[in-house]
Amino acid sequence: MRRRRQQAGVGGAVLGRIDWMTFCLFLGLAVIGWMMIFSVSYEEYRQLGPSGFLSTSAGKQAIWLGICGGIFAFIMLFDHKFWQTFAYPVYAFSMLMLVLVLFLGTNIKGATSWFSFGGFSFQPSELAKFGTCLGVSAFLSAYSTDLRNARAQLTVLGLLLVPMLLILLQPDAGSALVFTSFLVVLFRQGLSSTYYIVGGLSIMLLILGLVFPPLPIMIALALLGTAVLAYQLPAQYKGYALGGVAVLGAGSYFLYGLDYGWHVLGALAVAFLVAAFAAYQNRNGRLAFLLAIFLLAGSGLAYAASYGFNQVLKPHQQDRINVWLQPEKCDERGSLYNLAQSKTAIGSGGLEGKGFLNGTMTKLNYVPEQSTDFIFCTIGEEQGFIGAMGIVVLFLLLMLRITVLAERQRSAFARNYAYCVAGIVFIHVFINIGMTMGLMPIIGIPLPLISKGGSSLLGFTLMIAVLLKMDKHRMRA
Amino acid sequence: MSDTNSQRQYTIRLVFIIGSVMLILRAMQLQVLDPTYSSSPDATAIDEQIVYPSRGIIYDRNGKLLVYNVPMYDLMATFNQLDPEMDTTAFCNLLGIDREYFEKTLNKNWRDPRFSKSVPFPFLTNLSAEQFAALEERLYQFPGFEARLRHARGYPHHNASHALGYIREVDQNDLKKYEGLYAPRDYIGKSGLELAYEPLLKGEKGVKLVLKDNLGREVGPYKNGGLDEPAISGQDLITTIDLELQQYGEALMQNKIGAIVAIEPASGEVLAMVSSPGYDPNLLAIGRGKGNAYGHLSIDPAQPLFNRALQGKYPPGSIFKTIVALVGMQTGELDPDRTIPCQGAYYFNGMRLTGCHGHPTCFDVETAIEHSCNAYFVTAFREIVDGPGTFRNPEKGLDVFNSYLDKFGLGKALGIDLPREAAGFYPTSKYYTDKFNAQQEGQRWNSIWIRSVGIGQGEIEMTNLQMANLAAIIANRGYYITPHLVKGFRSGSMALPDKYVVRNNVGIDSAHFEPIIEGMERVTVSGTARSAYIPGIPVCGKTGTAENNFGEDHSVFFAFAPKKNPKIAIVAYVENSGFGGTYAAPIASLMIEKYIRDSISTGRLWLEKRMLDADLMPKTEP
């Protein structure tokens, strides 16, 4: 036995009993990513020739791939218990880096997010994602932690807010937003669904508030609330009440069109109070009370969104939101230009794409950040719908596979850690790909393993390597 | 800790799946379902640029350059790439333009569909290579401006402008006429050989596909140029013109109005074609200010743009007598040994009708040609027209005579490879019937009335080319090859068209040419054109003096030499210079000597000087 293990050597020690599916997905995506970067920067390669390969974008990325391979191997050989034991110190170290970068970092494109040494630069926020995964997992897997009590909730919130605020100071809103992905692990760990429902509704109302003025939203909310109360009435009144609400709705629509909006809102408020009183009479007072709070909060949110959009945001920030929610209002050659070029590049790929190295729009700077944040455009243009769908499916398989790994862990720490990773991959993929197609607002975060950039590649390699290492030793935890 | 939330893993997976499906559906909408994105992008990234071919170059028969290409640059501007901060003052100084021009040219009416802010338009055209060199070094400082190379024409000499012609930018008519072949601002041959051989000279435009980035800057070739079509250069044209002879002819004709046409009889190749006054072809070359030059030339009363060698129609005068003699002998109406007495004029029924000059009696055709006797050829012409016993039916005789004129290439364009060749004119029997009927209904005409045709006067008109061709016919003893200016093409083995190779027989037995040729030789030895005599080169010629109602007579001389194996047939026509022997004959003989001997013998240098110095231009009242 011992002899045989020695014969297997380092390779066996690194890859033995690893989860092959995750590893293949991980490696496959990284290789595809490198090929896409090679395609985007093909013009550089053509000019510099094979001897200058290492100075091209693809050459630099190849060096990073090599470094990441080394780190992957190192983690596989490193003691798996280290990560749980030193979760908090690693978290603290990554936070320290976030503080240091604010003072020692290099300012690139208006954000102090980078440490630069030599030709390479490193983004500590990528390390912070990994550190926070460890920190949050350690906290959640502690026996004393119960997410039902407020103290635990506030502690987790604190663990997340520290990196988010530090990153916002850089400022890098996109990377800060990534930390909302920990809602996935918190959900799995039992955080009340109410938070998710209220949060989801709030986001919906905020978005509505960005698109519509507050008055019609308030009218709609009042109508909705009245209708819910009417629906709850006993059967003998229900029909009349619902009919009345329908008449109210039609009348409101008509009068709102005639510029009597505020009168309509007043009338509906009275109608809601009448309905609430009726509900109270029918022992449904609690529902009426909750609805009243929802209506007031919803109106407040819609009003706040509208006020914030019109009074607080600067025009270029308004443009960004309009590009996402109301592209038809935007100037095709102005604020919409980047997104329009991105969508055109993806759309031009058609079903089968133009073929490897044959994309024109993604090589000629038509698409912004074409090798980093908008790398998906190259996939869409050169590989077509089949390739684009393929990439999304590969990512989905990776995420689902991670949840499978998560569920088979015996240690809560490992399971929580896996869900942290799955959540981070998901939010990156969904926002990044969604943004290139206009589904999400333009938020500058990379596509995991695909986008050019060593820090991001290194961060995801760390996350997945540690996950695979813990999975490899799951039976001994 | 017990796991009470295990069911939530499915919710999480569902969220992942829903998110991914949303992305896939969105991609499907963009890539497969919505056609607006699939068509446009290549048009934005790939620019189709036209590569202009170089136009065929033109050489003389000895390989000397007549026309070459001159690089010319058009400065194009693309409005939306201009740098608003650019140093306008430096730019204007560099180009030698003023600020007003700059503003006016750049601020087009952008609502006009003909202009687009992203499409280059000509800002300043026809910059010479020198001007461009000064600009090129600094062009990078002015984004949005680019230079496009085109080929204009240059001429190393100042000669042969009428034969060579010129090129111009296409106009609306050209665009309509050659639909699709030309684009606005393309060059096209507008006259001369440039027009006649336009399809061969122009070559074929190529296409270069260039990738442009989002700012419209060129990045590189598309697919490494794999789909590019190279421009195909035009054919280089070798002409039959002998540049030295042409230059000499133009020098001899300076300050005179008229023309010279010289043909190699055996081949029909035009050796020289002079029309005087002419112009320097460089004046009409594409360049800044050519419009002015054209304007001045076109209003010049001496009509320098008019090609007198091809387009001028002149009465041939006495040289026509050779045709009368030849036809008379061929039809049998004129015995070559016939003696016709002359008493200083042609008399009919005692009436003196056509005057003649004093000369010895003509015993035969040979002496009649030598002395150019009017009475002799009026008689001969009348006998041809009247025929044996057909006095009452001159129409038939004239038709027979005219059928020979057709064969001599008269009354129609010969078909030289130059545009706008005039046809000349000879009167037909119908012409006379109509003419005399118009004077008096039912009036019948007879040969007496049309006798001046017999001596090359009256209605008959020939072009200089036809006269030179007549000399070639006599030199060849009975045939001609349609005169032409194309000798071949430098590249490829393109054959000449048949019509410039086949012999056109004029239907006269070669034996009948001998008395004519003998007579023509004696013209230069002892006859009316002794000034055309060249020691050592037997020149056969014939003078003509065409009466001109508006001033001095026109002087014409046609000849070929040497008598055996003739190398050159020539006509010289000098307007308002009086008797044919005074100017036309010496000029033609100097041309012959120049061509055959390459230089003028010392004994004739005085004659050359006199011809070069003579100024016969009409003196306009001050």
Side-chain angles (χ1 to χ4, degrees):
Chain A
M1 272 299 278
R2 177 167 281 188
R3 281 182 69 115
R4 194 175 278 174
R5 190 176 265 177
Q6 274 175 350
Q7 277 176 347
V10 176
V14 170
L15 295 177
R17 286 193 294 135
I18 199 173
D19 182 64
W20 281 102
M21 188 173 170
T22 311
F23 180 74
C24 290
L25 287 166
F26 164 71
L27 192 64
L29 284 166
V31 169
I32 290 171
W34 183 82
M35 286 170 73
M36 291 302 116
I37 291 163
F38 180 74
S39 178
V40 171
S41 60
Y42 185 61
E43 208 44 45
E44 293 173 38
Y45 177 70
R46 233 172 49 83
Q47 280 167 14
L48 295 173
S51 59
F53 172 69
L54 286 181
S55 355
T56 67
S57 300
K60 286 183 186 163
Q61 189 70 8
I63 295 174
W64 275 111
L65 278 169
I67 294 173
C68 288
I71 286 175
F72 186 93
F74 174 74
I75 287 171
M76 285 298 139
L77 297 172
F78 197 61
D79 185 5
H80 73 281
K81 285 190 224 111
F82 173 86
W83 305 109
Q84 182 167 10
T85 315
F86 290 93
Y88 289 124
V90 172
Y91 173 78
F93 174 75
S94 66
M95 293 308 114
L96 180 67
M97 299 294 273
L98 285 182
V99 174
L100 285 180
V101 79
L102 294 175
F103 299 101
L104 306 174
T106 314
N107 190 318
I108 297 173
K109 287 183 191 164
T112 317
S113 314
W114 304 82
F115 287 120
S116 297
F117 16 72
F120 287 90
S121 45
F122 183 76
Q123 207 173 2
S125 55
E126 297 294 339
L127 184 67
K129 291 173 194 169
F130 172 65
T132 309
C133 284
L134 290 177
V136 167
S137 303
F139 176 72
L140 289 180
S141 52
Y143 286 104
S144 54
T145 303
D146 182 354
L147 277 180
R148 278 170 295 187
N149 71 50
R151 193 187 158 83
Q153 292 172 5
L154 287 174
T155 310
V156 173
L157 188 64
L159 283 174
L160 296 176
L161 276 180
V162 171
M164 285 175 86
L165 291 175
L166 285 172
I167 291 172
L168 276 175
L169 285 175
Q170 294 179 355
D172 180 3
S175 294
L177 192 71
V178 168
F179 289 82
T180 57
S181 68
F182 286 91
L183 285 169
V184 171
V185 70
L186 294 176
F187 181 72
R188 175 64 184 82
Q189 207 50 21
L191 188 63
S192 169
S193 305
T194 316
Y195 288 109
Y196 293 86
I197 293 169
V198 170
L201 283 173
S202 305
I203 289 173
M204 209 178 75
L205 279 166
L206 273 171
I207 292 174
L208 282 174
L210 292 174
V211 181
F212 300 103
L215 184 57
I217 295 176
M218 290 197 269
I219 291 173
L221 281 174
L223 261 177
L224 186 70
T226 314
V228 169
L229 289 175
Y231 189 77
Q232 295 293 328
L233 285 175
Q236 66 264 39
Y237 309 120
K238 199 171 171 176
Y240 300 107
L242 284 175
V245 172
V247 172
L248 259 178
S252 304
Y253 183 77
F254 178 70
L255 287 170
Y256 178 76
L258 293 178
D259 230 1
Y260 287 105
W262 288 106
H263 303 84
V264 169
L265 185 63
L268 284 175
V270 171
F272 179 79
L273 286 175
V274 170
F277 183 71
Y280 178 69
Q281 292 291 317
N282 287 291
R283 304 185 180 189
N284 230 340
R286 190 177 146 80
L287 176 72
F289 179 68
L290 281 177
L291 268 174
I293 289 181
F294 171 67
L295 293 192
L296 284 175
S299 301
L301 271 175
Y303 192 81
S306 174
Y307 179 85
F309 181 80
N310 290 315
Q311 308 294 328
V312 180
L313 290 188
K314 292 173 184 130
H316 74 270
Q317 292 167 322
Q318 291 180 348
D319 276 345
R320 241 180 202 220
I321 289 171
N322 277 336
V323 162
W324 173 37
L325 295 173
Q326 294 169 292
E328 65 281 354
K329 269 192 182 174
C330 299
D331 177 10
E332 179 91 23
R333 299 226 146 252
S335 57
L336 197 56
Y337 183 76
N338 285 344
L339 180 61
Q341 297 292 349
S342 167
K343 281 157 82 175
T344 309
I346 293 170
S348 72
L351 181 65
E352 293 174 3
K354 298 175 183 170
F356 185 56
L357 299 180
N358 283 337
T360 47
M361 297 199 67
T362 46
K363 277 199 196 58
L364 305 173
N365 299 317
Y366 284 87
V367 176
E369 303 290 335
Q370 52 197 8
S371 61
T372 55
D373 293 350
F374 282 82
I375 189 83
F376 186 73
C377 295
T378 304
I379 299 168
E381 189 185 19
E382 297 192 348
Q383 310 300 329
F385 175 62
I386 293 172
M389 185 172 69
I391 288 289
V392 174
V393 167
L394 286 180
F395 274 117
L396 178 61
L397 287 176
L398 180 66
M399 293 183 278
L400 294 178
R401 184 64 190 170
I402 292 175
T403 65
V404 169
L405 294 195
E407 294 298 336
R408 76 185 187 193
Q409 300 304 313
R410 288 164 72 180
S411 108
F413 173 80
R415 187 187 67 220
N416 287 331
Y417 175 80
Y419 272 110
C420 289
V421 174
I424 288 181
V425 172
F426 174 72
I427 200 163
H428 271 272
V429 170
F430 188 69
I431 289 186
N432 179 282
I433 298 182
M435 139 186 110
T436 60
M437 298 190 293
L439 210 56
M440 295 298 285
I442 296 196
I443 295 168
I445 57 173
L447 188 56
L449 307 173
I450 307 263
S451 286
K452 189 186 88 177
S455 312
S456 169
L457 184 64
L458 187 71
F460 280 102
T461 305
L462 267 177
M463 281 185 229
I464 290 172
V466 169
L467 173 65
L468 287 175
K469 177 68 179 174
M470 290 196 289
D471 179 63
K472 190 170 164 181
H473 299 283
R474 63 185 182 273
M475 308 311 279
R476 284 192 265 161
Chain B
M1 188 182 121
S2 65
D3 187 0
T4 51
N5 298 302
S6 183
Q7 292 305 307
R8 286 193 169 186
Q9 60 176 289
Y10 302 110
T11 314
I12 292 171
R13 287 184 191 146
L14 189 66
V15 168
F16 289 173
I17 292 170
I18 289 173
S20 302
V21 167
M22 280 169 72
L23 295 178
I24 290 173
L25 289 179
R26 178 67 168 165
M28 182 190 278
Q29 183 199 358
L30 287 180
Q31 297 184 290
V32 184
L33 303 178
D34 191 339
T36 51
Y37 293 109
S38 53
S39 52
S40 56
D42 272 354
T44 57
I46 300 173
D47 187 34
E48 219 181 84
Q49 294 186 347
I50 293 190
V51 186
Y52 287 96
S54 63
R55 201 175 164 84
I57 288 169
I58 304 180
Y59 297 95
D60 92 332
R61 64 188 293 115
N62 300 315
K64 286 182 191 153
L65 199 57
L66 291 177
V67 184
Y68 60 93
N69 287 318
V70 180
M72 195 72 89
Y73 295 87
D74 285 355
L75 191 61
M76 311 294 284
T78 312
F79 190 82
N80 63 6
Q81 289 175 33
L82 298 180
D83 177 8
E85 311 272 295
M86 67 180 271
D87 187 348
T88 337
T89 319
F91 186 71
C92 290
N93 288 340
L94 204 58
L95 289 171
I97 55 174
D98 57 23
R99 192 148 183 128
E100 199 185 341
Y101 178 88
F102 180 86
E103 302 281 347
K104 211 180 76 192
T105 320
L106 279 188
N107 293 312
K108 304 230 177 279
N109 177 10
W110 298 113
R111 294 211 188 111
D112 189 323
R114 286 178 300 149
F115 303 121
S116 162
K117 285 189 178 180
S118 57
V119 173
F121 63 89
F123 175 78
L124 194 63
T125 57
N126 301 326
L127 289 168
S128 71
E130 293 79 42
Q131 285 172 298
F132 176 68
L135 176 67
E136 191 180 17
E137 293 165 20
R138 298 190 56 194
L139 201 57
Y140 75 95
Q141 295 173 349
F142 307 104
F145 288 97
E146 58 180 330
R148 288 207 181 153
L149 172 68
R150 304 214 286 169
H151 293 291
R153 289 303 223 185
Y155 308 86
H157 311 286
H158 309 282
N159 311 96
S161 49
H162 291 105
L164 297 174
Y166 53 85
I167 60 170
R168 280 297 178 88
E169 266 181 27
V170 290
D171 56 29
Q172 285 304 316
N173 293 335
D174 298 322
L175 288 176
K176 243 181 247 165
K177 195 167 150 195
Y178 310 99
E179 212 183 316
L181 267 180
Y182 294 89
R185 302 182 34 72
D186 279 0
Y187 293 137
I188 188 173
K190 276 288 184 188
S191 79
L193 288 167
E194 298 272 22
L195 170 56
Y197 289 99
E198 168 68 16
L200 293 170
L201 288 170
K202 81 178 167 73
E204 275 172 48
K205 280 187 261 186
V207 176
K208 195 168 76 168
L209 297 175
V210 176
L211 287 174
K212 292 206 160 182
D213 71 4
N214 56 325
L215 298 178
R217 294 174 301 207
E218 282 185 25
V219 191
Y222 178 62
K223 295 206 168 167
N224 277 326
L227 296 180
D228 292 2
E229 289 168 30
I232 300 171
S233 301
Q235 294 273 354
D236 291 348
L237 177 67
I238 301 164
T239 68
T240 58
I241 288 177
D242 183 312
L243 178 63
E244 261 186 66
L245 188 66
Q246 175 77 26
Q247 286 174 322
Y248 189 58
E250 288 183 31
L252 290 172
M253 287 300 285
Q254 67 187 346
N255 297 321
K256 299 162 196 74
I257 297 178
I260 302 174
V261 178
I263 297 176
E264 184 176 75
S267 61
E269 292 174 358
V270 175
L271 301 170
M273 178 184 281
V274 179
S275 175
S276 183
Y279 61 92
D280 185 340
N282 288 293
L283 285 177
L284 292 186
I286 302 266
R288 321 211 69 210
K290 66 170 186 238
N292 264 343
Y294 188 86
H296 283 143
L297 290 172
S298 63
I299 58 165
D300 188 328
Q303 292 179 283
L305 291 173
F306 181 64
N307 187 355
R308 289 173 166 81
L310 278 191
Q311 292 159 265
K313 293 174 287 189
Y314 297 90
S318 300
I319 66 173
F320 191 73
K321 290 170 183 167
T322 55
I323 297 181
V324 174
L326 287 166
V327 175
M329 287 186 284
Q330 182 67 26
T331 56
E333 305 303 328
L334 177 64
D335 188 320
D337 292 326
R338 169 97 174 268
T339 302
I340 298 175
C342 170
Q343 295 102 32
Y346 178 73
Y347 286 89
F348 182 72
N349 288 349
M351 276 184 295
R352 184 188 158 94
L353 291 180
T354 303
C356 193
H357 50 95
H359 59 81
T361 303
C362 305
F363 302 104
D364 48 20
V365 168
E366 187 186 320
T367 45
I369 291 287
E370 180 195 347
H371 300 306
S372 194
C373 174
N374 285 347
Y376 196 98
F377 289 102
V378 167
T379 308
F381 177 68
R382 282 199 58 212
E383 285 173 4
I384 295 166
V385 171
D386 291 341
T390 53
F391 187 74
R392 290 288 150 209
N393 191 5
E395 288 91 345
K396 198 174 161 208
L398 186 62
D399 288 347
V400 169
F401 181 74
N402 283 350
S403 71
Y404 284 95
L405 295 191
D406 279 339
K407 290 182 178 167
F408 276 84
L410 269 50
K412 62 176 182 194
L414 279 170
I416 190 173
D417 42 359
L418 283 179
R420 293 186 273 276
E421 182 194 354
F425 181 77
Y426 62 76
T428 59
S429 54
K430 181 172 183 311
Y431 169 88
Y432 283 124
T433 306
D434 291 348
K435 178 183 171 183
F436 292 114
N437 269 327
Q439 288 173 0
Q440 190 184 327
E441 194 60 41
Q443 179 172 241
R444 293 191 58 86
W445 55 274
N446 63 56
S447 58
I448 287 286
W449 297 2
I450 63 167
R451 64 188 177 278
S452 0
V453 171
I455 55 169
Q457 303 280 359
E459 290 91 345
I460 196 138
E461 280 178 340
M462 285 170 74
T463 66
N464 282 300
L465 184 68
Q466 287 167 331
M467 293 187 236
N469 193 47
L470 177 58
I473 292 169
I474 299 169
N476 288 336
R477 279 81 171 166
Y479 70 89
Y480 70 95
I481 292 164
T482 305
H484 53 274
L485 284 155
V486 58
K487 195 164 171 62
F489 298 92
R490 178 150 279 202
S491 51
S493 52
M494 207 180 303
L496 287 185
D498 277 352
K499 71 169 179 173
Y500 297 144
V501 178
V502 298
R503 292 180 175 193
N504 300 286
N505 256 302
V506 296
I508 304 223
D509 300 342
S510 60
H512 297 313
F513 285 92
E514 289 317 315
I516 307 290
I517 290 169
E518 293 300 328
M520 283 171 71
E521 186 183 13
R522 287 168 67 167
V523 165
T524 64
V525 175
S526 57
T528 50
R530 280 181 291 267
S531 57
Y533 177 75
I534 309 169
I537 303 176
V539 176
C540 304
K542 175 86 195 76
T543 54
T545 307
E547 283 167 17
N548 175 15
N549 297 333
F550 304 102
E552 283 273 349
D553 289 347
H554 298 324
S555 148
V556 59
F557 182 76
F558 87 141
F560 65 87
K563 186 176 165 192
K564 278 177 192 157
N565 298 321
K567 290 203 171 65
I568 180 170
I570 191 168
V571 68
Y573 207 111
V574 186
E575 293 184 23
N576 313 111
S577 64
F579 170 59
T582 327
Y583 289 103
I587 286 174
S589 77
L590 286 166
M591 289 285 283
I592 290 169
E593 189 175 9
K594 176 82 178 171
Y595 181 67
I596 293 177
R597 286 222 182 107
D598 227 23
S599 59
I600 305 301
S601 48
T602 40
R604 280 161 51 83
L605 285 175
W606 66 273
L607 187 66
E608 178 186 44
K609 184 177 180 338
R610 205 171 81 182
M611 290 303 126
L612 288 171
D613 291 346
D615 184 352
L616 301 174
M617 293 301 281
K619 299 293 173 279
T620 43
E621 307 280 321

